[in-house]
Amino acid sequence: MLNRLQESDIKLLRVFYAVASCNGFTAAEPVLRMQRPNISAAIKKLEERLDLVLCHRGRGGFQMTKEGEVVFQETKRIFNAFDNFVFNLKSLHDDYSGHITLVMMAGLPLSMHLAVSKAVKSTMKKFDDIHVNIQTRLYNEVEHVALSGECHLVISTYDMVKPESVTFHPVGISCKGRLYCSPTHPLAKFRDVSLPEDVKIGEYPAIGISGLSSANYIEDDQRLAIQTFSDSFEAALSAIMTGEYIGLLPDYIAKEQGASLGLVPIAKGSLFNFNHELFVMNGKNTRLNPVLRHCIKELTYFISESQK
């Protein structure tokens, strides 16, 4: 069993990381510039070192085990942090080359993804030896990744009390949302009218979002009856469409995914409105060199333009 990482272990982990990222041995060959037998031997040796089975390979194709999934996620964190360390070290010598990692909150609209791609393209064009890793994280993870050194920049809404250890760069736009239900829910009949006084929102089970401020679930003297939680707005949408729950959703999700499902804004969408500001975030320990400053500027510009 592995007690201490050696240089040879890091090489084996890089092979596993590439195989897991490519979802197979054959697909990883051009990435690693290794032949399949050598890749297979490296994975087997890593499994022996860790005393774990990381993946199954055979007629059923490549499939990671539960242990392999954990090792993959931890390996991703290690290599992200290592790449960021190398990039920051180079920047101390005015060498602006290497990899930067950009994390987006899961579930942002397509228009923002396209805006991010334009900002990344502009940054890579200006600094021609820069490569950008674009990843996603759930809402309740974005603060952690900004602080942990796993990434350089995070794009996310944020509605909690802002920690002093994170720097927030406002983009100038907000993500609005409100309370929704499915067309089969008893409250769907109040789509176009206000709720009668004898109808109490708190009597209907609601679904919450992990990490979202509890203030979102309170409006005047009304409080949502949160019975369960989802880790993303997309998962909450699925729960709402069962007809068993009501819940908060951003308007862009309701528009892009909920329209075809008949998603209903309760009481003309007048209940539990929220307005979450979008930020580019970085940990205070992240050194904002010219590459990152340019990227922040371009992200702010293109995301803002995409919402006009």
Side-chain angles (χ1 to χ4, degrees):
M1 184 176 174
L2 183 66
N3 291 316
R4 172 178 284 185
L5 273 178
Q6 300 176 3
E7 185 176 350
S8 58
D9 297 320
I10 295 174
K11 291 179 180 179
L12 295 176
L13 285 168
R14 284 204 178 275
V15 173
F16 172 67
Y17 180 72
V19 171
S21 298
C22 296
N23 199 34
F25 287 57
T26 302
E29 287 185 39
V31 175
L32 292 168
R33 297 181 182 178
M34 294 171 63
Q35 295 182 342
R36 181 174 178 133
N38 294 333
I39 294 175
S40 183
I43 297 297
K44 183 177 180 180
K45 187 173 182 180
L46 178 63
E47 289 179 325
E48 291 173 353
R49 286 284 291 160
L50 300 177
D51 193 23
L52 293 170
V53 176
L54 300 177
C55 57
H56 299 299
R57 51 270 198 196
R59 291 183 178 179
F62 174 83
Q63 185 176 8
M64 276 196 291
T65 63
K66 291 181 179 179
E67 293 79 8
E69 289 282 359
V70 173
V71 173
F72 174 58
Q73 293 302 324
E74 292 304 316
T75 302
K76 181 190 292 186
R77 296 178 195 277
I78 291 171
F79 290 149
N80 278 355
F82 183 76
D83 287 342
N84 293 349
F85 168 75
V86 172
F87 176 79
N88 293 337
L89 193 63
K90 285 183 176 181
S91 70
L92 293 175
H93 297 280
D94 295 327
D95 177 1
Y96 305 119
S97 62
H99 290 76
I100 63 175
T101 303
L102 174 65
V103 168
M104 298 181 66
M105 180 184 82
L108 288 174
L110 177 60
S111 59
M112 289 191 192
H113 282 268
L114 295 176
V116 168
S117 69
K118 292 178 182 178
V120 168
K121 180 178 180 180
S122 169
T123 302
M124 294 178 68
K125 187 174 181 180
K126 183 175 178 64
F127 301 92
D128 57 10
D129 201 13
I130 285 291
H131 300 278
V132 182
N133 302 319
I134 304 176
Q135 303 175 3
T136 60
R137 293 289 194 281
L138 299 173
Y139 180 83
N140 61 345
E141 298 176 320
V142 293
E143 181 183 328
H144 169 73
V145 296
L147 289 170
S148 65
E150 291 179 47
C151 69
H152 290 95
L153 301 174
V154 175
I155 303 169
S156 176
T157 58
Y158 198 85
D159 76 311
M160 303 287 282
V161 176
K162 296 180 179 61
E164 294 183 359
S165 49
V166 176
T167 300
F168 292 81
H169 309 273
V171 175
I173 65 171
S174 298
C175 295
K176 299 179 180 180
R178 60 207 74 239
L179 190 62
Y180 288 92
C181 69
S182 80
T184 61
H185 193 278
L187 292 178
K189 62 185 177 182
F190 300 113
R191 171 197 291 266
D192 298 317
V193 297
S194 299
L195 289 185
E197 290 186 4
D198 61 336
V199 175
K200 306 300 181 184
I201 277 293
E203 295 177 357
Y204 296 89
I207 187 163
I209 303 296
S210 299
L212 205 64
S213 169
S214 59
N216 290 281
Y217 308 129
I218 303 171
E219 183 175 287
D220 299 327
D221 59 343
Q222 301 185 83
R223 181 187 294 265
L224 294 181
I226 305 297
Q227 299 297 316
T228 186
F229 284 88
S230 288
D231 58 12
S232 68
F233 284 118
E234 292 94 337
L237 172 61
S238 298
I240 291 169
M241 291 310 299
T242 66
E244 299 295 325
Y245 301 100
I246 58 177
L248 301 178
L249 291 175
D251 290 337
Y252 62 78
I253 284 187
K255 181 179 179 181
E256 292 181 358
Q257 301 179 41
S260 61
L261 301 173
L263 195 66
V264 177
I266 301 171
K268 298 183 287 188
S270 62
L271 294 177
F272 292 87
N273 291 339
F274 63 85
N275 196 5
H276 297 158
E277 192 172 358
L278 189 75
F279 296 95
V280 179
M281 302 153 51
N282 64 269
K284 286 288 179 67
N285 292 330
T286 299
R287 184 171 182 267
L288 293 183
N289 60 28
V291 178
L292 298 179
R293 292 187 184 279
H294 179 81
C295 191
I296 292 171
K297 182 186 72 173
E298 295 298 271
L299 287 168
T300 300
Y301 173 75
F302 283 112
I303 293 175
S304 180
E305 286 293 304
S306 73
Q307 303 304 302
K308 290 182 178 179

